[in-house]
């Protein structure tokens, strides 16, 4: 039971979404938004993509369902 509750909480607490305004990272510590115009660069390795902004970073695993779509949206809006 404990592992199931932890897995559900972790899934809910670790989301990355994007909309017309920017990227929103949901974590155990709350939501953090990065506006498209604040993005300075994007780096990627085999496991993680990092979006670097004027006031911090948003990281997401390359294995999330829409990683390619999110990277394409960042490139489209920030070039």
């Amino acid at each position: 039971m404990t592992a199931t509750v932890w897995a559900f909480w972790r899934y809910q607490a670790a989301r990355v979404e994007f909309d017309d305004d920017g990227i929103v990272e949901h974590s155990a510590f709350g939501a953090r938004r990065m506006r498209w115009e604040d993005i300075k660069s994007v780096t990627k390795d085999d496991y993680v993509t990092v979006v670097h902004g004027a006031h911090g970073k948003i990281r997401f695993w390359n294995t999330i369902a829409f990683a390619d779509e999110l990277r394409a949206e960042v490139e489209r809006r920030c070039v």
Side-chain angles (χ1 to χ4, degrees), residues 10-17 24-32:
R10 182 71 179 114
Y11 174 77
Q12 291 299 316
R15 290 190 331 257
V16 178
E17 303 168 335
V24 180
E25 174 189 42
H26 299 273
S27 72
F29 304 106
R32 181 171 42 159

Side-chain angles (χ1 to χ4, degrees), residues 2-70:
T2 302
T4 303
V5 171
W6 180 85
F8 178 76
W9 170 80
R10 182 71 179 114
Y11 174 77
Q12 291 299 316
R15 290 190 331 257
V16 178
E17 303 168 335
F18 64 92
D19 58 22
D20 289 339
D21 295 325
I23 300 172
V24 180
E25 174 189 42
H26 299 273
S27 72
F29 304 106
R32 181 171 42 159
R33 173 174 288 280
M34 185 178 296
R35 299 181 59 80
W36 294 119
E37 58 266 13
D38 293 337
I39 295 174
K40 303 297 183 197
S41 65
V42 178
T43 57
K44 178 186 172 206
D45 64 20
D46 291 338
Y47 304 104
V48 177
T49 296
V50 182
V51 180
H52 304 269
H55 305 288
K57 302 174 188 175
I58 291 180
R59 295 176 178 87
F60 59 90
W61 293 101
N62 295 329
T63 55
I64 64 173
F66 66 99
D68 292 334
E69 181 182 352
L70 179 55

